[in-house]
Amino acid sequence: MDCLAPHDTLDSFYRSGQDVEKEREPHVYLSKEEVKEKIQSYNSSVTDKLKMTLNANGIYTGFIKVQMELCRPIAVQSSQSQGRCAPSSQETAFYLPDGCVNTLHISSTNTVREVIEALLKKFFVADNPAKFALYKRCHKEDQVYTCKLSDREHPLYLRLVAGPKTEMLSFVLREHETGEVMWEAFSIPELQNFLRILDKEENDQLQILKNRYAAYRGKLEEALRGVLKPG
């Protein structure tokens, strides 16, 4: 995973913004002919060769791109620990910077929950999928909206309806928001790691403040010596 890199703050853990509530738009079921027409239209507009394919049984396959916007570290399995269910000492925690985009080949029957699981499995992420949520980001009337998708939504259907342009619709993987974090989904080592990171940030901030006031004190003492120096 070439986009893994260290992270220096947990400030973004407390995320705020203009996100709206979980997606509640009704799912409009399309006939096979309507799906065929939409796929033809979709493929005619594709510029990156990531086209959709309609199978004889009416199920279609295609690609979606998912942007990673993760604030907390993810646990990545080493080659020795892959396939194990229990936490392992062979797992390494990384911070994943914003902007990483991954492409998945999925089916129209795949749900949001299955997409999250497939994305984590693809990169050997050992974290519980319940920690994460998939969002759709779309443009409406010159505004950008980010909506949390329910586990039963079908991302490829949303991609088909919106068309191939990511400016109109894009997918984002995030952790659950602060108010709905499922702490029981975290292992004890992960929680302990969060505490260590918070302690380090607290100590770093304290040191910055101490250095700042030490510099102020030095300047004041220097000024006082200049004033009190016999003329």
Side-chain angles (χ1 to χ4, degrees), residues 10-17 19 69-72 130-133 135 148 174-184 186 191 194 198:
L10 283 181
D11 290 346
S12 54
F13 175 87
Y14 305 100
R15 198 197 311 265
S16 63
D19 296 351
E69 291 187 355
L70 304 181
C71 301
R72 301 188 288 274
K131 299 177 185 178
F132 304 93
Y135 291 74
K148 181 180 175 182
R174 292 179 178 177
E175 299 96 344
H176 282 292
E177 296 297 337
T178 304
E180 55 177 334
V181 173
M182 300 178 65
W183 294 111
E184 64 275 11
F186 290 87
L191 295 173
F194 294 156
L198 288 172

Side-chain angles (χ1 to χ4, degrees), residues 112-168:
V112 163
R113 180 51 47 188
E114 290 171 334
V115 166
I116 293 174
E117 292 172 353
L119 186 61
L120 299 181
K121 183 178 180 181
K122 179 178 179 180
F123 295 100
F124 308 112
V125 177
D127 295 275
N128 190 326
K131 299 177 185 178
F132 304 93
L134 192 68
Y135 291 74
K136 77 170 185 179
R137 184 175 290 153
C138 54
H139 292 251
K140 293 181 181 179
E141 300 177 354
D142 297 325
Q143 296 290 327
V144 179
Y145 298 90
T146 303
C147 308
K148 181 180 175 182
L149 298 172
S150 72
D151 288 348
R152 295 185 297 276
E153 284 282 354
H154 297 85
L156 194 61
Y157 167 81
L158 298 176
R159 179 79 279 162
L160 175 63
V161 172
K165 293 183 178 180
T166 55
E167 295 84 1
M168 299 302 298

Side-chain angles (χ1 to χ4, degrees), residues 27-74:
H27 188 101
V28 178
Y29 291 95
L30 304 175
S31 67
K32 187 174 180 179
E33 188 60 35
E34 288 174 325
V35 169
K36 182 179 179 180
E37 291 176 1
K38 280 192 172 294
I39 289 178
Q40 289 175 344
S41 175
Y42 182 97
N43 289 342
S44 66
S45 302
V46 166
T47 58
D48 54 10
K49 299 183 180 180
L50 301 181
K51 297 184 177 183
M52 294 194 187
T53 302
L54 179 62
N55 300 316
N57 59 3
I59 296 174
Y60 51 97
T61 58
F63 299 86
I64 62 169
K65 294 181 180 181
V66 181
Q67 182 169 337
M68 315 293 277
E69 291 187 355
L70 304 181
C71 301
R72 301 188 288 274
I74 56 173

Side-chain angles (χ1 to χ4, degrees), residues 71-83:
C71 301
R72 301 188 288 274
I74 56 173
V76 180
Q77 295 177 333
S78 68
S79 57
Q80 291 85 358
S81 63
Q82 289 169 16

Side-chain angles (χ1 to χ4, degrees), residues 81-107:
S81 63
Q82 289 169 16
R84 298 178 184 175
C85 296
S88 168
S89 60
Q90 300 298 320
E91 294 174 3
T92 306
F94 288 95
Y95 275 104
L96 194 64
D98 286 350
C100 292
V101 177
N102 293 296
T103 302
L104 287 177
H105 185 249
I106 62 173
S107 153

